[in-house]
Amino acid sequence: MSTIPKNNSETVAHTPGRASSIGVWILQVVLATIIAGGGISKLAGDPVMVDMFADIGAGQWLRYLVGALEVAGGVGLLIPALAGLASLGLAALLTGAVITDQFVLEQSPWLPLACLVVAAVIARARWSRTKAVVGTLLRR
């Protein structure tokens, strides 16, 4: 008598979900690294960042705010319960970065635009968990 199951559909059915979950985690780690690295350089006072925010004309307080939001968003992407919310927040921040790059700094918005697309993919992939977290918070 054979102990090998005749129908292996359960294993096959879980493979795409696992592969997509791993793919989303890779996107989260890559985006967290890029975003948090940029935030750290803003908070550390990198001369390039200081000059860029001077060109924007909103004051250096905005550099500190954006840097802190980027570091918080990068960390949030690595915490499973917060990854969806962090990606939504970063998508909003990156929308502002795309607009600022294009219309204020008059430079190419491709990097923030690519990061925005990745943040949107993560937000969509983590949507069910995000709804559960928000639902839990609203019930309190």
Side-chain angles (χ1 to χ4, degrees), residues 33-57:
T33 303
I34 293 168
I35 295 292
I40 289 169
S41 70
K42 288 174 183 72
L43 293 174
D46 182 347
V48 172
M49 294 297 162
V50 171
D51 291 344
M52 181 177 71
F53 279 84
D55 290 343
I56 292 171

Side-chain angles (χ1 to χ4, degrees), residues 10-65:
E10 237 181 90
T11 305
V12 174
H14 291 303
T15 304
R18 180 181 166 106
S20 65
S21 180
I22 291 170
V24 172
W25 266 108
I26 290 169
L27 290 176
Q28 286 174 224
V29 170
V30 169
L31 186 61
T33 303
I34 293 168
I35 295 292
I40 289 169
S41 70
K42 288 174 183 72
L43 293 174
D46 182 347
V48 172
M49 294 297 162
V50 171
D51 291 344
M52 181 177 71
F53 279 84
D55 290 343
I56 292 171
Q60 293 302 308
W61 66 270
L62 183 61
R63 175 175 56 89
Y64 289 112
L65 176 64

Side-chain angles (χ1 to χ4, degrees), residues 117-137:
V117 169
V118 172
V121 168
I122 294 168
R124 177 63 185 107
R126 302 297 184 216
W127 185 245
S128 61
R129 179 173 278 179
T130 302
K131 285 191 331 189
V133 168
V134 170
T136 300
L137 291 174

